[in-house]
Amino acid sequence: MSVLDIKDLRVEFPGRKSVFVAVDDVTLSVDAGKVLGVVGESGAGKSTVGNAVIGLLQEPGHIAGGEVYLHGKRIDQLPYKEKRRLRGRKIGMIFQDPLTSLDPLQTVESQLVETIRTHLPLSRSQARQRAIDLIEAVGIPDASERIKQYPHQFSGGMRQRVVIALALCAEPELVIADEPTTALDVSIQAQILELMKELCRERNVAMLVITHDMGVIADITDHVAVMYHGELVEYGETIQVLGAPEHPYTQSLISAVPRPDIKVERFPVVNYIEKAGTPQKQIDIATHWLGKARDYEKVTGPLVQIKDLDMQFETRGSIFPSKRKYFKAVKKVSFDINEGETFGLVGESGSGKSTIARLITGLYQPTGGSILFGKTELTSLKNRKDVLAMRRQMQMIFQDPYSSLNARMRVSDIIAEPIKFHRLASSNAEVRQIVDDLLDHVGLGAAAGKKFPHEFSGGQRQRISIARALATRPRFLICDEPTSALDVSIQAQILNLLKDLQQELGLTMLFISHDLAVIRQMCNRIGVMRHGELCEVADCDQLFEAPQHPYTRELLNLMPSLELLSRANLATA
Amino acid sequence: MIGFATRRIVQAMIVMLVVALLAFTMFRFVGDPINQMVGIETSIEDREALRDRLGLNDPVPVQFFRFITKAAQFDFGTSYQFRQPVSELFAKRIPATLELSFASAVFALVVGIPMGIYAGLNRESPISKLFLSVSLIGISLPTFFIGILLIFLFSVTLQWLPSFGRGETVQIGSWWTTGFLTISGLKALILPSITLGLYQMTLIMRLIRAEMLEVIRTDYIKFARARGLPDRLVNFRHALKNTLVPVITITGLQLGAIIAFATITETVFQWPGMGLMFLQAVQNVDIPIMSAYLMLTAFLFVTINFIVDILYFFIDPRLRVGRP
Amino acid sequence: MPFITNEDPKSAVQDSAAPVKEPGRMARFLDSDLFHSFLKSKVTVVAATGTAILFLLAFLAPWIAPHNPFDLASISIMDARVPPFWMEYADPRFLLGTDDQGRDMLSAIFYGMRISLIVGFCSVVAAAFIGISLGLVAGYMGGRVDAIIMRIADVQLTFPAILIALLIDGIAHGIFGAIDREVFAFYILIVSLALSFWVQYARTVRGSTMVEKNKEYVQAARVIGIPSVIIMVRHILPNVTGPVLVIATINLALAIVTEATLSFLGVGMPPTQPSLGTLIAIGNDFLYSGEWWIAIFPGLALALLVLNVNLLGDWLRDALNPKLR
């Protein structure tokens, strides 16, 4: 008998205008000691499945049909009190963000002990001993000391270990993990996944892992369920589903996953998920506004030369200079970017890669070093006119499509602003024409201009961002994690668009990402960063085939193996 | 801890200095202090002599320094209207104001906190909604009008409680008088303290409710529920304790506000406290009393804020223990 | 860089394709969640209607009030202290009775409300202007500018508004002398109310500005090269108006109450231009002699006005707070 059986589950969220069906007709089961992955993109309803099982659906959501069984006992209709007794005791839960999952005012010990004593008839000292054992089991050294500390004294990865200990502390039969590693860095992600897999086998626990990440699925699951718009589109053994997907959605989803092992020219276009927008109107760059006036000074040698760049932030201010504390975000970084190439910067969070982008664009003033753009030294520009002339030549695309557009402005105004500000057009009519062309060119269509940003999806907003960046006719484009907030299928579209634009306009790009696979697809040369230092710069293929720096090797090793994934679609790409 | 406390004390002293500067500016530059002190018939020579004697011809920084030195010893000069030392006038009236403020604060906290917790935990219950409606009325009725209504109802119409004064008081020590020890003193305290405390009570209640609702939506409360903890533990150990941090700050500010709001209540009930005296001073432009009142209340607020900060320190481990 | 997915079922609905037809501005408003939550809350609809009626009565006072309480020719001391209509000795001309000088209470209340509202609005606008400007500058510039502005705000915040208003009034009193009071009372009130309430706007706007400043749309504007002042006004300001609107509404209620309190304490509007507070102060003297209506009716009018505005503000706060939805 399976530990968890879900039959024909349907979850509804009644809204003002209509009932939103978050989950429809989902049937799943998980066996003891096995891991079932539920994968899907945002809005697929995968988290809702987990919340429905544990009975924590957010109001006004409710189970509208179907049954949930735990060890053959029906649990979805239990009264509130009995349902509560199952939580923690029979079903443990792990949430996405370890930084907010723990009560900041209680020690780790007291949170563990209270959970243990709620579920098991143990004395305080027995519970404490059990808590220490658990903390040791999840791999936190010096358990009996660290247990006395507060959550803020643990790092993100350590906190997620504490959360896992809390989920396991009453020996549950089922653990539901909702995006357990999404908020963590790659290296920590690998450790946490390893730990979960191990604990699941050792303790014979059934595990339901909810994720958007095919890498996580390939890494630890035995079975996988693929969800799309609340429905289960494919369900089976992981090797089977990933290696030979049957449903067109699964096929397109898998083909859209960037691969570190193979370089493709273009991502296969996935039409199943979101329409790529109205077809792009072909414009002739030679005669179009975008191509005109590219009368930038010719450079011999690299377009951007960065030398000994230093940046420190004050972390503790004080009136006494000796008491001030600084954080060195960028330490003595030097590299060049050649005209027309895409240079990649890769590293984990806090490695300083985004800071470099902001130093080049002038959002931050460096504390040392030089940035040479063409023949101009950017750090010593004083004259406002010169500064503006430089700003016009370099633009940036940001990570978060939800905050990178001003919600109170119409899309056409957002794109027109740089054109008007830099006086790049002679009349309002011309500005309008350019904005329409730009919107067409990024695949949105001119009609999009009348709307506000909130009327668009994440991918569409990122297209608007790109249009805005192009509106100053830049020669250098910085992309700071441009797709990391997007679903994988949409990521593929945006990356394709960026590639096309670069070829058409001959742009030079600095592409920043934490995702090695994406970097491999996009870049000619790559720099690897860690703790503010540049470890290694190499040509793309060379870096992946023969990494020189130990940290690069470590990063490459940590990447989830995607060998399992079907190669069928790649062949046709 | 010591570093934290020192920092707060330094900040408090800066605030006091700024307030002192304000009080001094008021004292020195609003109207001519000499004109207020002497009659019209005083000759120009006498005025100059007095000006010299009071040090009003010294450089302004010297005068300011003298002003704060004296203020630190509770010497605020002589009242223009009463021709008595301001400190003596205040000494007589401080007990009345502090007793009234204390009674109102106790009323506001004892009634407001449980109501707020209840309304925060039982968001949809009819009693919570009743609390909310009543609290909105409490916020909308101006303090002085509440006082008038209470007087009209309980003093004029029903004639149960006195409408003015402190009743009989008992002398304790050399300068403290208390109304807590006599029946008439306690009776006289009821209406003013309700009037004064009602607004703070509703504010505290609404604040606790709002904070509770915020905290209940956080991930760690969701996780606590997912761990299967009983509601009692989730609500009181986790939710309430996290609510306390912001609540204490605002409550501290509100307790300070009570002392200032006492001005209004004291006027309505002719309560012989320092607020009433301050108001008369405002009407008669009695600057020494105004500046002394400003500094005294500022001192009380700063003290309360300091205590609040220290409490904060004990509740929130993030302030106490550093990161690794 | 950690990756954040959006797994909220509601955002999934938003993510679906954009609507085909472009609805007009009005249609969009009528269909908005804001307007809907307004219609759903019966109390709010009643409060909005009540507020509208009270505002109309106040601003149309010269045309709809049965008497002109300031026309000395039309009032007669013979009509003094007439009780309201249901009591003995009532006079049908004076629905809610008259005060000690024979002025019609109902008309005096309309006119008083007008003065209270004008003072309230002017001080809210002034406070909002000071607060928003300083808050924007402090939040956007940060550093020393921010430290100075916020320290001033902190010092001021330790003092309740009423105390500050009293002090400013006292100082103005000292500077202008008693004679000019009649003329200056209105302006002194607005200045003292504005100076006591700006801190709230400044703190809120500063907080929101600091959040907005780090959002990528502001960085994008900076990358384009747009100067700070334009970024503050064109980009940040429109995005921080929500909380400002809530504060302004609640502040209007608070300003009306504070004005009434000051007038009641005798340092606000003079008896020649009575606001509701002044009327209550006048009536307070007659409370003990049985002529309760002179104080209680203006008081009830004040409470009704403030309650309605507060109800609106309360609803607005909940409706604009996405966290509570």
Side-chain angles (χ1 to χ4, degrees), chain A residues 51 54 56 58 80 84-85 87-89 91-95 97 100-106 110-112 114-115 118-119 124 146 150 152-155 159 163-164 166-167, chain B residues 7 215 217-234 236-245 312 314-324:
Chain A
N51 286 336
I54 202 167
L56 284 174
Q58 212 175 0
Y80 175 76
R84 198 203 77 214
R85 250 174 245 142
R87 291 186 211 141
R89 180 71 192 90
I91 310 173
M93 183 105 187
I94 299 166
F95 287 123
D97 191 354
T100 58
S101 292
L102 298 168
D103 184 341
L105 303 185
Q106 310 275 346
S110 89
Q111 299 190 44
L112 273 163
E114 73 181 354
T115 317
T118 300
H119 297 297
R124 184 162 287 276
R146 296 224 64 183
Y150 290 93
H152 72 273
Q153 294 169 284
F154 291 79
S155 67
R159 268 191 241 189
V163 170
I164 292 171
L166 276 164
Chain B
R7 232 178 2 258
V215 168
R217 304 173 56 84
T218 56
D219 277 359
Y220 54 83
I221 295 298
K222 206 175 152 198
F223 188 54
R225 289 194 202 288
R227 282 188 272 149
L229 297 185
D231 289 351
R232 176 180 44 83
L233 273 188
V234 175
F236 290 95
R237 188 184 292 172
H238 295 283
L240 186 61
K241 203 171 170 193
N242 276 286
T243 310
L244 277 182
V245 178
Y312 228 76
F314 282 104
I315 289 179
D316 195 337
R318 282 164 293 188
L319 291 175
R320 230 180 313 144
V321 247
R323 277 152 211 283

Side-chain angles (χ1 to χ4, degrees), chain A residues 35-56:
Chain A
V35 181
L36 169 68
V38 179
V39 70
E41 299 184 291
S42 51
K46 52 191 194 298
S47 285
T48 313
V49 172
N51 286 336
V53 170
I54 202 167
L56 284 174

Side-chain angles (χ1 to χ4, degrees), chain A residues 516-573:
Chain A
L516 279 163
V518 171
I519 286 275
R520 172 150 211 197
Q521 305 308 324
M522 295 300 293
C523 304
N524 307 104
R525 287 194 307 134
I526 298 164
V528 181
M529 288 202 69
R530 181 195 203 181
H531 302 321
E533 281 165 1
L534 192 63
C535 304
E536 176 172 6
V537 179
D539 278 351
C540 178
D541 290 335
Q542 196 196 334
L543 188 96
F544 280 88
E545 306 305 333
Q548 298 298 311
H549 196 278
Y551 179 64
T552 315
R553 280 199 286 272
E554 192 190 327
L555 273 185
L556 288 173
N557 274 338
L558 287 168
M559 272 193 308
S561 146
L562 295 173
E563 295 292 315
L564 273 179
L565 261 58
S566 149
R567 290 175 181 236
N569 284 47
L570 291 175
T572 59

Side-chain angles (χ1 to χ4, degrees), chain A residues 172-395:
Chain A
E173 292 154 1
L174 171 71
V175 170
I176 301 173
D178 190 350
E179 303 274 5
T181 56
T182 305
L184 304 172
D185 270 330
V186 217
S187 54
I188 296 160
Q189 171 172 339
Q191 295 165 12
I192 296 285
L193 288 177
E194 187 56 35
L195 172 72
M196 285 171 60
K197 198 157 66 182
E198 215 178 274
L199 290 170
C200 166
R201 303 268 144 86
E202 260 174 31
R203 299 178 181 231
N204 208 28
V205 173
M207 195 176 290
L208 185 69
V209 175
I210 295 157
T211 183
H212 68 280
D213 188 341
M214 278 294 174
V216 172
I217 294 291
D219 238 21
I220 67 164
T221 62
D222 301 300
H223 290 82
V224 62
V226 183
M227 286 187 73
Y228 175 67
H229 278 196
E231 285 172 34
L232 199 62
V233 294
E234 193 155 356
Y235 178 35
E237 275 189 49
T238 304
I239 302 176
Q240 181 65 30
V241 173
L242 296 193
E246 277 169 18
H247 193 276
Y249 174 72
T250 320
Q251 288 168 359
S252 56
L253 192 63
I254 288 173
S255 68
V257 175
R259 309 283 298 260
D261 48 349
I262 316 153
K263 180 151 182 165
V264 293
E265 268 319 300
R266 282 178 65 83
F267 291 92
V269 175
V270 183
N271 278 326
Y272 193 89
I273 302 136
E274 187 180 359
K275 283 213 180 100
T278 44
Q280 296 173 20
K281 200 164 75 181
Q282 283 303 313
I283 51 171
D284 184 6
I285 289 299
T287 56
H288 189 261
W289 175 86
L290 267 176
K292 261 192 283 175
R294 304 187 67 84
D295 49 348
Y296 300 124
E297 55 163 2
K298 289 267 176 296
V299 282
T300 45
L303 177 66
V304 184
Q305 285 173 280
I306 288 170
K307 226 180 221 108
D308 295 334
L309 196 62
D310 254 319
M311 181 66 196
Q312 52 183 14
F313 295 102
E314 201 175 275
T315 48
R316 207 181 98 184
S318 170
I319 41 169
F320 309 110
S322 63
K323 282 203 165 179
R324 287 182 203 149
K325 284 190 181 159
Y326 297 96
F327 168 68
K328 287 204 164 210
V330 177
K331 300 172 204 161
K332 296 263 176 240
V333 169
S334 309
F335 61 89
D336 297 341
I337 304 174
N338 298 318
E339 177 124 50
E341 76 168 345
T342 301
F343 186 88
L345 268 183
V346 70
E348 297 182 285
S349 58
S351 61
K353 52 192 195 307
S354 289
T355 310
I356 289 182
R358 282 163 172 72
L359 288 169
I360 297 176
T361 50
L363 289 174
Y364 298 151
Q365 281 300 316
T367 39
S370 83
I371 305 167
L372 207 60
F373 186 88
K375 291 171 195 149
T376 319
E377 172 57 51
L378 295 183
T379 51
S380 60
L381 279 185
K382 288 281 178 296
N383 187 339
R384 183 157 171 79
K385 229 178 113 191
D386 296 340
V387 173
L388 284 184
M390 294 323 291
R391 290 274 167 89
R392 195 169 77 75
Q393 293 185 42
M394 52 175 83
Q395 281 299 304

Side-chain angles (χ1 to χ4, degrees), chain C residues 235-253:
Chain C
H235 290 276
I236 297 182
L237 187 59
N239 282 291
V240 301
T241 44
V244 168
L245 206 63
V246 175
I247 297 182
T249 316
I250 294 170
N251 222 277
L252 176 64

